Amino acid sequence: MPGRWYATPRSGAQRIWAESRMAGNGGWQCPDLAMAGGPEEVRVAPARLAHMWNYFREPTPAPAPRRLAQVRLGEPADAGLRNAIMGVAAATVRGLERPGLVGRLAGFIDHAVAHGLLGGEGDLDTFIGRHNLQKHAYIAQELGIRIGYEFEFLKNGAYSPAMAVDTYKRDRAPRYAEALDPDPGATRTLVRIARGRGTEWLQVATFAVRDRAVSGALERFLADRHRHMRYDRRLVREVFAEVGSCMGAGGGGAR
Amino acid sequence: MSRAPRDAPMRQGAAANMAAALGATLAMAFAAHLLVGATALDIVIAAPPFAFVVYVSLAQMDAQGAKKAEDRKEIETLGGVLGQCERALALLAKAAGAAPASPQARAGMGHLAGTIRLLATRYGRYIENNGVWAALEAESLVMTAEILGRDVGDRVGPLRDYVGVVGENVLDEDDPRLAAVRLEP
């Protein structure tokens, strides 16, 4: 029936599957044949799956043929479908990956409490406790205790958004202290650098640890007034000297 | 109908200060004459510098008062911005619950990021260090969720905490640290 395809609203998934056939065949123009099977169908299946994956992964759909009526009919349903599928996919990925990471974080927290870096888990109920933990974790990672987070540098030192989120989930995570497996030498250095230190000390220490292999890092840090907060110059000198003596100015350190 | 010039209150304040300085000088002259027997020559010599010092002190007190009133107003506005953050967070939680990657959730994050940035930059001087650090971290948390497409639902709880920490660390207008800043030239 001529024009039937344009007049019949299809569900989002049906339309995308039909379009994916066109993508797999390199420009097929008749989506009504999408239901046909055969060896050709098998050959283009991977390309069709890739097309579908890209469709759901990207915020904007793959370029569609110029069928305005169809696009108008399909769009709202597609957005809902895409969001639903991405939500399920994200939850699945979280379910698979996050517990291990959160578990290692929980293990690190136990480790930090055992070595006196934190007064107890109760410290983490306060903002400053969680803030200090971020700095401890960054220094620990740089010393080779692999927890698994990526850090960025704010004006007040190292910070990991993912770790900040996971800190709230630690109660629900299983303990993987054995998976953390910290090297005793690294732990000793971490304790020497971080135990009993104030928040600003730890903030500066993350900068010092990051720049330990850079020559003239201290002078540059003191001269730079925009990329970090204003710290007491004496404190900065003290922190850089301590970190340098613990980890080695050449960048070798305890690693 | 003629409109009063914009600096009218300032002129009125200056005139009042001058009148007060003159009054204080006359009182000082009278007291000096009675108590220590100051002569007319003594009073003529001592009165102008005395009047000047009194006038400058009064003007300084006025300026401090004006700065304090401005700080009070800014702190009130800061409270409004914090309220806006809380409202945005509530809407964001709703939008993220419906669909984590929806345009509404993204728009909410964009709005929240802008509002938090405003807290850290414009109102940073009215917030204690802890609050400023919390604002920086909140901004980073929203920005990464926005740019890297992370799940918003997970971040609403921590963000609410951060905004709470900022709110707890807002300085009072009478705080000595703010007063010290006001005294700076």
Side-chain angles (χ1 to χ4, degrees):
Chain A
M1 186 190 296
R4 174 182 160 274
W5 197 88
Y6 298 92
T8 309
R10 291 179 174 222
S11 75
Q14 275 179 321
R15 187 171 65 76
I16 297 151
W17 182 244
E19 281 172 13
S20 73
R21 178 177 177 84
M22 288 186 283
N25 276 338
W28 189 269
Q29 292 299 314
C30 185
D32 258 349
L33 297 179
M35 299 307 290
E40 177 67 3
E41 195 70 8
V42 175
R43 192 180 66 75
V44 300
R48 297 180 71 175
L49 287 171
H51 175 83
M52 286 195 78
W53 170 248
N54 285 335
Y55 182 88
F56 287 120
R57 191 166 56 85
E58 298 296 331
T60 50
R66 290 183 182 177
R67 286 189 217 99
L68 295 179
Q70 179 208 10
V71 171
R72 242 179 265 131
L73 286 169
E75 257 180 3
D78 288 351
L81 182 66
R82 184 170 58 232
N83 286 334
I85 291 177
M86 288 311 290
V88 171
T92 311
V93 169
R94 271 202 312 278
L96 292 174
E97 290 179 1
R98 299 307 268 182
L101 204 52
V102 183
R104 276 200 298 282
L105 174 64
F108 176 71
I109 292 170
D110 289 347
H111 190 64
V113 171
H115 289 86
L117 298 176
L118 293 173
E121 279 218 38
D123 281 10
L124 300 180
D125 294 337
T126 63
F127 167 72
I128 283 296
R130 292 189 294 270
H131 181 82
N132 288 352
L133 180 72
Q134 291 260 347
K135 314 304 172 203
H136 290 145
Y138 174 74
I139 298 169
Q141 285 209 157
E142 289 297 303
L143 286 165
I145 302 173
R146 188 74 193 154
I147 307 166
Y149 288 104
E150 281 183 21
F151 285 83
E152 59 189 70
F153 271 80
L154 307 180
K155 285 182 92 175
N156 57 354
Y159 175 71
S160 164
M163 185 178 152
V165 173
D166 286 352
T167 311
Y168 287 82
K169 299 178 187 165
R170 67 188 188 282
D171 294 338
R172 303 200 297 271
R175 284 334 201 217
Y176 288 107
E178 70 284 354
L180 191 67
D181 191 24
D183 172 52
T187 302
R188 265 197 304 278
T189 312
L190 173 66
V191 167
R192 192 175 150 196
I193 292 177
R195 183 155 72 186
R197 308 294 191 181
T199 303
E200 293 202 349
W201 208 100
L202 291 169
Q203 290 175 0
V204 180
T206 60
F207 288 107
V209 168
R210 180 194 64 180
D211 298 338
R212 66 189 184 279
V214 181
S215 63
L218 171 62
E219 288 70 28
R220 214 172 297 171
F221 186 86
L222 288 171
D224 185 356
R225 301 175 66 169
H226 302 293
R227 291 204 181 84
H228 52 75
M229 309 202 73
R230 281 189 191 175
Y231 296 104
D232 179 49
R233 294 174 79 85
R234 211 168 56 180
L235 173 83
V236 172
R237 286 181 196 286
E238 190 190 324
V239 175
F240 271 74
E242 182 71 18
V243 169
S245 76
C246 287
M247 299 182 74
R255 254 190 159 171
Chain B
M1 192 174 73
S2 66
R3 289 177 61 185
R6 290 179 72 184
D7 59 350
M10 210 163 70
R11 287 188 189 176
Q12 283 168 9
N17 287 341
M18 275 183 204
L22 192 65
T25 309
L26 286 174
M28 182 278 295
F30 189 61
H33 179 67
L34 284 182
L35 298 176
V36 294
T39 62
L41 183 63
D42 295 335
I43 290 168
V44 165
I45 291 170
F50 181 82
F52 180 73
V53 168
V54 171
Y55 175 74
V56 167
S57 306
L58 290 173
Q60 176 106 4
M61 281 164 64
D62 272 6
Q64 289 300 314
K67 280 184 185 173
K68 193 172 170 180
E70 195 184 322
D71 282 348
R72 189 186 309 128
K73 216 163 144 189
E74 290 284 83
I75 289 169
E76 276 172 22
T77 315
L78 167 56
V81 175
L82 276 169
Q84 222 175 5
C85 282
E86 279 158 15
R87 276 195 295 280
L89 272 168
L91 291 172
L92 193 60
K94 223 182 271 180
S102 67
Q104 287 86 353
R106 284 183 167 268
M109 277 192 292
H111 178 80
L112 190 63
T115 317
I116 291 173
R117 196 167 302 128
L118 192 69
L119 280 178
T121 50
R122 176 161 178 188
Y123 298 104
R125 61 184 281 232
Y126 301 110
I127 304 171
E128 269 188 76
N129 268 348
N130 290 2
V132 175
W133 297 338
L136 288 173
E137 293 188 3
E139 188 189 347
S140 168
L141 203 60
V142 180
M143 193 180 70
T144 48
E146 205 180 354
I147 295 173
L148 302 177
R150 299 280 189 256
D151 188 5
V152 192
D154 272 359
R155 302 189 174 212
V156 171
L159 284 170
R160 199 167 273 152
D161 260 14
Y162 283 136
V163 171
V165 171
V166 176
E168 284 164 15
N169 285 285
V170 175
L171 296 174
D172 187 72
E173 71 203 51
D174 295 318
D175 191 277
R177 282 164 289 184
L178 270 184
V181 173
R182 284 198 290 264
L183 280 174
E184 282 174 11

